[in-house]
Amino acid sequence: LTLIEKGVDYDLVEADVFSSPEDRATQLTRHPFGKIPAFAHGDFRLYETSAIERYVDEAFVGPSLQPREPVRRARMNQALSVLDNYAYPELVWGVYAEQVEKPRRHLSPDETRLAQALAKSRTCLTALDAIMGDGPWLAGHAPTLADLHGAPMIDYFRQAPAGLALFGQFPRLLSWWEAMAERMAKVRSA
């Protein structure tokens, strides 16, 4: 999403880190922990999503995706940290994976894990709602790296029936999501 916002042409090489041992071994050459994403710009290699996002924002022309004002930039960084450290494990692995991905693979969800993840997800959503301040974006009046970083997590979370129901209890985040979804739809149709 950051590359798209900056108007940068790119080649996406999809990597399934859960697939064959050969695919996992290849990904380890790109990312020492075998995770995604990994990024290459010429001879420069980088991994970790927020590092990649910041590099793309700073290395390429296009709209700035990091606020100049210290308070807004701090809020963006706070949102990024909340998303990485607290939201991603719960919204994606605890809710989406348990309620959507496991049933797709004919596995039973761990209902205890799901219930715990939903409770922690509520805390994450409450924190993000507070970080928004006067919004309408996560760090203020214009989209930032925080919005682009959080959108895929929220997209997965909302695919789970329990995630969708919980998310609906946060009207400001719901308005934010509708704006992000509209923005992403315009990009996909272009």
Side-chain angles (χ1 to χ4, degrees):
L1 292 175
T2 305
L3 290 162
I4 292 167
E5 284 288 329
K6 294 295 279 191
V8 177
D9 288 331
Y10 63 92
D11 294 318
L12 177 65
V13 178
E14 296 205 22
D16 183 353
V17 295
F18 302 108
S19 62
S20 71
E22 297 82 23
D23 287 345
R24 286 191 299 273
T26 299
Q27 190 60 16
L28 282 168
T29 67
R30 298 179 189 122
H31 191 304
F33 302 102
K35 305 277 185 173
I36 53 175
F39 175 80
H41 180 217
D43 292 335
F44 180 61
R45 304 286 184 260
L46 190 62
Y47 58 90
E48 290 305 310
T49 306
S50 59
I52 293 167
E53 290 165 338
R54 284 182 175 99
Y55 174 79
V56 168
D57 188 38
E58 294 166 3
F60 296 96
V61 298
S64 178
L65 300 171
Q66 299 178 77
R68 292 191 193 280
E69 307 88 5
V71 169
R72 297 256 186 235
R73 187 177 284 246
R75 287 294 185 210
M76 178 201 72
N77 287 326
Q78 184 180 31
L80 287 167
S81 291
V82 167
L83 288 162
D84 277 343
N85 295 307
Y86 309 107
Y88 183 77
E90 305 307 333
L91 277 64
V92 177
W93 287 106
V95 176
Y96 168 80
E98 290 298 332
Q99 202 169 43
V100 177
E101 200 55 41
K102 277 188 174 180
R104 274 190 195 149
R105 292 182 281 145
H106 308 289
L107 300 171
S108 297
D110 179 337
E111 295 297 334
T112 301
R113 170 69 177 116
L114 177 61
Q116 291 169 343
L118 283 166
K120 291 177 181 177
S121 294
R122 177 180 296 283
T123 301
C124 294
L125 296 174
T126 299
L128 290 170
D129 186 70
I131 289 168
M132 279 182 78
D134 54 358
W137 302 99
L138 291 181
H141 302 293
T144 69
L145 296 177
D147 302 291
L148 304 173
H149 194 80
M153 292 177 210
I154 297 300
D155 190 30
Y156 279 116
F157 182 66
R158 288 174 42 82
Q159 290 178 45
L164 182 62
L166 178 57
F167 196 75
Q169 296 173 24
F170 293 84
R172 288 178 352 120
L173 288 175
L174 186 56
S175 293
W176 165 82
W177 172 250
E178 289 168 354
M180 279 303 300
E182 183 179 318
R183 192 175 193 93
M184 292 185 302
K186 286 180 185 175
V187 168
R188 287 184 187 127
S189 67

